[in-house]
Amino acid sequence: MPIEDLCSLSSRSLQSPFTATVPASTEDVLLKGFQTLDMENDRIETAQQFFAWFAKLQSNMDQDDSIKYRKTRDDLNCYQEQCDAILKDVSAALEHLDSLQKQYLFVSNKTGTLHEACEQLLKEQSELVDLAESIQQKLSYFNELENINTKLNSPTLSVNSEGFIPMLSKLDDCIEYVSSHPNFKDYPVYLAKFKQCLSKAMHFMKIHIVNTMQNLTSQLTKRDPMGLTNADNAFTLYYVKFRAVAPKVRSLIEQIEQRAEKIPEYHQLLDEIHQCYHDQREQLLSPSIRSTITDLTNQNSKDHCALVRSGCAFMVHVCQDEHQLYNEFFSKPTPKLDELLEKLCVSLYDVLRPLIIHIVHLETLSELCSILKNEMLEDHVHNNAAQLGAFDAVVKQMLEDVQERLVYRTHIYIQTDITGYNPAPGDLAYPEKLEMMERIAQSLKEEQMKQMSQESMFSDVQLEDPDGRRNSNAGSVEASSLQTSISPADLHGMWYPTVRRTLVCLSKLYRCIDRAVFQGLSQEALSACIQSLLKASDIILKNKTQIDGQLFLIKHLLIMREQIAPFHTDFAIKEISLDLKKTRDAAFKILNPKAVPKFFRLNSHNAILEFLLEGTPEIKEHYIDSKKEVDRHLKFSCEQFIQQQTQIFVGNPEEFLTKVAALKTMAIQGGPTYSLSQQPWAQPAKINDIVMATYRVMKSKLPSTLQSMSLYLANRDTEFILFKPVRNNIQQVFQRLHALLQEEYSGEDLQIIACPSMEQV
């Protein structure tokens, strides 16, 4: 029952049918009571009726008092019945819900099981599909075998067709796949069949490429069977034709190069193609190159430098052209190209080497070194090392041959033209040569001065550009002054021949050979040159004067020191020698008869043991520095010149002072006392003779000495440095002489002696 009905029911059940009102009178009350009891029409006549009425009335009153309680009870009973009905309905609903829940769980379990079964079926279906696809994919590689075989056996197959390269890619994939799965059934059979197909495909490519190159070579050879072509059509014949064919085979070669790093068969095929290409190029180029080199040799038979330069330039062009042509066919380098080019370059080397080993002139050999080292290696090879690698190796070998020949000829040159040089009379005509050249220079200077004076007189009457004329005259004056300031001894042609040859030889060797070899040769050449100068100085000293020989030697040693200074190298070499002095002494010791009993001693004094220990030869190292040797000889020559010039000028006074010093020494050591003025050789007149003779020698010989120094040295600073010790020695001798005279002689004696003052000296 709905709750709203229950509420209405309760409200109705609680309403009382009686309403209490205050009666107006007793009659009214009774009337109303009877009306209430439905007895308004009955009459009470008897007591029984009254008692019945009263009982009824009492019953009604009792009912009226409990009616609301009974009503409430009835309502509650009704509510209870309704609640029981509701509970019954709820219980039934719960039973239905339990049933539904059980049915739902049953259906849900069935549905989940069905869903899981469906998912499992779908999963199995996917796995089966994947397995089928995997099997199909794996089988596709094996199924391609028949297609590839069919294509390779087709009579219309062409390596230039569009389907050939994709077939190669598919074949490579199949071989790679089968090779990576050796656990498959019939793995060896299918791998062998695929390899057979690969061999057949590579054979087709090789036949096509090789036939293309060989046919082109045969066509060119038939056109020019002797291989002798002129320079004009050689490029067209040997390069343009090959470049025209290159696009036809380049695509195939690119495919081979891409696979060569991964597949050994392709690598071998690429090597065979390289070899074929190089064989065809060598077959074409070798006769032409030999012919060209022969022509160059005939054209430059007397000029080895021009032959080497032109031959190397020709091979440089060949190497560059061959690299460019190779790049038209191939995209990856190969060492076989350098081997081919080296073979071609060796043909030039084979022609030049016999000529090189017969060259005797150092100038030619040094120029060849310069050409090979500077022009070829540093210019051409350095700027294009990638294309000229083979040419670089051949040129280096050729350069080594030239350097070896240059060193050999230099040794011979030093022995024959420096060490073994025999001077001619004109070579030793000193100072006549210098004086003659000085007179010639003076005459040229006078002629230039006359010419300049005439030009200046002519320029006085010119109206245009007087400043420019004056400037030009000033410039010519300066130039003439520079020309005339050079001493004849400084002229290259006036040097002693061995000095000139040595310096020219060193200048040619400096940039041509290795530093260590140059140091050894320079030491040998400078030592030989110094010995030749010493020999020439002795001859001049004997034939002329002593000062000429000394100044000749000093001047040329100065020239050598000045000229070897620019060589940025060490002129010291290390020599190793074996000193056998200890071995000799030990041998003499063991051969002594007294040493025979020591042979059988079993201690450290055994003679044989002592010989082995003490007789070991020593290895000694010592350095020879030719530059220091030049300085040493120069220093010795200058000291000797100073000493001899001092002896010439003040030799007598110095001898007198030496005697006086000896006399004083004897007196100090206990000898007899002396009076210097009483000595016969120390008389004032004798001293006057010595002083005057010395003064006359100084006045007479000093100008000629200074003139000779100016003639030979031609450098005021050098002359001053060289003559300053001589002047100091002279001044010191006169100072000592003045001190001695002031100490030992009287004023009258000093007047007799008349020694020049220091200012006069």
Side-chain angles (χ1 to χ4, degrees):
M1 173 181 282
I3 295 177
E4 291 82 358
D5 296 340
L6 292 176
C7 292
S8 62
L9 178 61
S10 64
S11 63
R12 287 194 302 268
S13 66
L14 291 178
Q15 291 178 357
S16 178
F18 302 102
T19 59
T21 60
V22 179
S25 63
T26 305
E27 186 178 357
D28 293 334
V29 172
L30 291 175
L31 181 62
K32 290 181 181 180
F34 282 110
Q35 290 177 352
T36 306
L37 294 174
D38 295 332
M39 296 179 64
E40 66 272 9
N41 296 322
D42 294 334
R43 291 184 181 275
I44 301 174
E45 293 179 355
T46 63
Q48 186 177 1
Q49 289 179 345
F50 174 77
F51 283 120
W53 171 81
F54 181 79
K56 184 177 180 181
L57 177 62
Q58 187 177 6
S59 175
N60 288 336
M61 289 178 64
D62 290 336
Q63 289 179 354
D64 291 339
D65 288 338
S66 61
I67 191 168
K68 58 180 179 181
Y69 296 107
R70 287 193 298 271
K71 181 65 174 176
T72 303
R73 186 195 62 189
D74 295 337
D75 291 339
L76 290 175
N77 290 329
C78 182
Y79 290 155
Q80 184 178 4
E81 292 176 358
Q82 291 177 358
C83 288
D84 292 338
I86 291 171
L87 288 175
K88 184 178 180 181
D89 293 337
V90 170
S91 298
L94 289 176
E95 290 178 359
H96 287 296
L97 288 174
D98 290 338
S99 176
L100 288 174
Q101 186 177 6
K102 292 179 181 179
Q103 293 176 359
Y104 171 77
L105 292 175
F106 176 76
V107 173
S108 178
N109 291 333
K110 291 293 183 179
T111 305
T113 304
L114 179 62
H115 182 70
E116 291 178 358
C118 292
E119 288 183 349
Q120 182 66 27
L121 291 174
L122 289 174
K123 182 179 179 181
E124 292 177 357
Q125 181 184 6
S126 300
E127 291 177 354
L128 291 174
V129 170
D130 294 338
L131 179 61
E133 291 178 355
S134 176
I135 294 174
Q136 182 63 31
Q137 182 182 3
K138 294 176 181 179
L139 287 176
S140 63
Y141 293 101
F142 296 92
N143 294 333
E144 286 292 334
L145 177 62
E146 185 177 355
N147 297 331
I148 294 173
N149 266 325
T150 303
K151 292 180 181 179
L152 291 176
N153 294 325
S154 175
T156 60
L157 177 65
S158 174
V159 294
N160 292 325
S161 61
E162 297 180 356
F164 186 79
I165 293 177
M167 182 195 69
L168 283 180
S169 301
K170 191 63 179 178
L171 180 59
D172 296 337
D173 295 339
C174 292
I175 293 176
E176 182 180 1
Y177 182 80
V178 173
S179 300
S180 61
H181 296 83
N183 55 341
F184 283 1
K185 187 179 180 181
D186 295 336
Y187 156 78
V189 177
Y190 277 94
L191 182 60
K193 291 181 179 180
F194 279 122
K195 291 285 187 180
Q196 184 179 2
C197 294
L198 179 62
S199 300
K200 188 178 296 185
M202 290 192 301
H203 178 70
F204 288 151
M205 290 189 291
K206 177 182 176 182
I207 292 298
H208 175 72
I209 296 173
V210 170
N211 288 342
T212 301
M213 294 182 181
Q214 289 179 350
N215 292 336
L216 181 59
T217 303
S218 62
Q219 292 176 8
L220 296 176
T221 306
K222 291 178 181 178
R223 183 179 300 180
D224 189 10
M226 296 302 293
L228 303 174
T229 61
N230 54 38
D232 295 333
N233 61 5
F235 181 81
T236 303
L237 189 61
Y238 294 147
Y239 293 99
V240 174
K241 296 294 184 181
F242 265 80
R243 287 180 179 174
V245 175
K248 299 179 181 180
V249 297
R250 183 176 175 84
S251 59
L252 287 177
I253 294 177
E254 287 180 351
Q255 297 296 324
I256 296 172
E257 289 177 336
Q258 293 173 3
R259 295 165 170 81
E261 297 179 358
K262 299 179 180 179
I263 303 176
E265 289 82 0
Y266 279 103
H267 183 73
Q268 182 180 359
L269 175 61
L270 183 61
D271 289 340
E272 294 176 357
I273 294 174
H274 281 157
Q275 188 63 43
C276 175
Y277 172 81
H278 295 141
D279 291 342
Q280 303 307 312
R281 295 304 300 171
E282 183 179 4
Q283 181 180 351
L284 281 176
L285 292 178
S286 294
S288 177
I289 290 176
R290 287 194 295 268
S291 175
T292 303
I293 294 175
T294 303
D295 294 340
L296 292 175
T297 305
N298 296 331
Q299 295 173 6
N300 303 283
S301 58
K302 297 182 179 180
D303 191 351
H304 296 90
C305 297
L307 174 60
V308 171
R309 184 179 285 110
S310 59
C312 290
F314 170 70
M315 292 311 302
V316 166
H317 288 298
V318 170
C319 292
Q320 292 176 345
D321 292 340
E322 282 301 311
H323 269 278
Q324 293 175 3
L325 182 62
Y326 176 84
N327 293 331
E328 295 287 336
F329 284 86
F330 305 94
S331 59
K332 295 183 179 180
T334 176
K336 291 186 178 181
L337 179 60
D338 288 335
E339 295 176 3
L340 167 65
L341 296 177
E342 190 169 353
K343 288 181 182 179
L344 299 178
C345 293
V346 166
S347 59
L348 175 65
Y349 174 78
D350 293 339
V351 174
L352 294 181
R353 189 177 186 281
L355 301 177
I356 291 173
I357 62 177
H358 289 90
I359 298 175
V360 297
H361 298 292
L362 297 182
E363 293 81 1
T364 304
L365 291 172
S366 62
E367 188 174 355
L368 288 178
C369 285
S370 177
I371 293 172
L372 295 174
K373 188 175 182 180
N374 299 328
E375 297 181 14
M376 300 304 160
L377 292 179
E378 295 182 2
D379 292 343
H380 291 291
V381 176
H382 181 72
N383 295 329
N384 194 2
Q387 295 184 356
L388 300 179
F391 179 74
D392 176 48
V394 174
V395 170
K396 286 181 178 178
Q397 182 63 40
M398 196 183 306
L399 178 61
E400 291 176 0
D401 294 341
V402 175
Q403 290 175 339
E404 182 179 358
R405 179 65 178 175
L406 179 60
V407 172
Y408 171 72
R409 290 304 307 174
T410 301
H411 280 295
I412 297 177
Y413 182 80
I414 293 173
Q415 295 173 2
T416 57
D417 290 34
I418 298 178
T419 304
Y421 177 72
N422 293 320
D427 297 332
L428 303 175
Y430 287 89
E432 290 82 0
K433 293 172 64 174
L434 301 179
E435 293 173 351
M436 179 184 67
M437 294 300 298
E438 188 175 14
R439 288 193 297 270
I440 294 174
Q442 187 65 28
S443 62
L444 293 175
K445 180 179 178 181
E446 292 176 357
E447 291 180 1
Q448 290 178 357
M449 294 299 294
K450 290 180 181 180
Q451 185 177 1
M452 287 188 295
S453 62
Q454 292 176 359
E455 291 179 356
S456 62
M457 292 174 61
F458 179 73
S459 63
D460 291 339
V461 299
Q462 297 293 323
L463 298 178
E464 297 180 358
D465 195 14
D467 295 336
R469 178 66 64 179
R470 190 177 298 110
N471 293 334
S472 63
N473 290 335
S476 61
V477 171
E478 293 177 359
S480 63
S481 63
L482 288 174
Q483 292 177 0
T484 55
S485 64
I486 299 177
S487 169
D490 291 329
L491 297 176
H492 184 271
M494 297 302 296
W495 295 351
Y496 190 64
T498 56
V499 175
R500 183 171 64 252
R501 293 173 182 178
T502 300
L503 296 177
V504 170
C505 178
L506 292 181
S507 65
K508 293 183 178 299
L509 293 176
Y510 181 63
R511 300 186 183 279
C512 295
I513 58 178
D514 295 335
R515 186 64 56 88
V517 180
F518 176 78
Q519 291 175 359
L521 289 177
S522 62
Q523 192 277 330
E524 182 181 355
L526 291 176
S527 299
C529 183
I530 292 172
Q531 295 301 320
S532 67
L533 287 177
L534 294 174
K535 180 180 177 182
S537 176
D538 293 338
I539 297 175
I540 294 174
L541 189 144
K542 293 177 182 178
N543 296 336
K544 301 296 180 181
T545 61
Q546 188 176 25
I547 190 173
D548 289 324
Q550 292 174 344
L551 291 176
F552 166 83
L553 180 60
I554 291 172
K555 177 61 179 177
H556 283 87
L557 289 176
L558 286 172
I559 291 172
M560 290 180 62
R561 188 178 69 172
E562 179 184 359
Q563 294 297 323
I564 65 176
F567 295 112
H568 299 288
T569 184
D570 187 7
F571 286 88
I573 61 171
K574 180 174 70 173
E575 289 190 352
I576 301 176
S577 60
L578 191 64
D579 188 4
L580 299 176
K581 183 178 179 181
K582 289 186 177 181
T583 306
R584 182 191 62 186
D585 295 341
F588 285 144
K589 187 176 180 180
I590 199 175
L591 293 177
N592 191 350
K594 296 181 180 180
V596 174
K598 296 183 179 180
F599 287 164
F600 305 101
R601 291 182 180 179
L602 300 178
N603 54 19
S604 60
H605 297 288
N606 185 280
I608 299 177
L609 182 62
E610 289 180 353
F611 174 76
L612 295 176
L613 295 177
E614 299 177 0
T616 305
E618 293 183 348
I619 298 176
K620 293 185 176 181
E621 297 181 356
H622 60 282
Y623 289 87
I624 300 177
D625 193 337
S626 52
K627 184 179 289 187
K628 291 182 178 179
E629 187 177 359
V630 172
D631 294 337
R632 182 174 61 83
H633 281 282
L634 178 60
K635 180 181 179 182
F636 178 77
S637 301
C638 292
E639 291 175 351
Q640 189 177 15
F641 173 80
I642 293 168
Q643 182 180 359
Q644 291 178 355
Q645 292 303 312
T646 303
Q647 181 67 26
I648 291 173
F649 288 122
V650 292
N652 293 332
E654 193 170 6
E655 183 180 358
F656 172 76
L657 292 174
T658 303
K659 291 181 180 180
V660 173
L663 189 61
K664 287 183 178 181
T665 303
M666 292 175 60
I668 293 172
Q669 293 177 355
T673 59
Y674 70 94
S675 175
L676 188 59
S677 60
Q678 301 299 325
Q679 298 294 328
W681 47 272
Q683 296 293 326
K686 293 289 187 179
I687 298 175
N688 178 262
D689 293 338
I690 293 174
V691 170
M692 289 299 104
T694 301
Y695 192 72
R696 286 193 298 270
V697 169
M698 291 175 58
K699 291 296 183 182
S700 61
K701 292 189 177 182
L702 183 58
S704 61
T705 300
L706 295 177
Q707 184 179 1
S708 297
M709 292 178 65
S710 176
L711 183 64
Y712 279 93
L713 302 179
N715 189 309
R716 293 189 180 277
D717 294 337
T718 307
E719 296 170 20
F720 176 78
I721 293 172
L722 183 60
F723 191 73
K724 183 179 179 180
V726 179
R727 183 183 62 185
N728 293 338
N729 291 340
I730 295 173
Q731 290 177 351
Q732 290 176 4
V733 169
F734 274 96
Q735 286 177 357
R736 290 164 55 197
L737 182 60
H738 274 287
L740 177 64
L741 294 178
Q742 293 292 335
E743 180 183 353
E744 300 289 344
Y745 292 92
S746 63
E748 295 179 357
D749 293 338
L750 292 176
Q751 291 180 357
I752 295 173
I753 294 173
C755 182
S757 63
M758 293 303 298
E759 290 77 8
Q760 292 176 340
V761 175

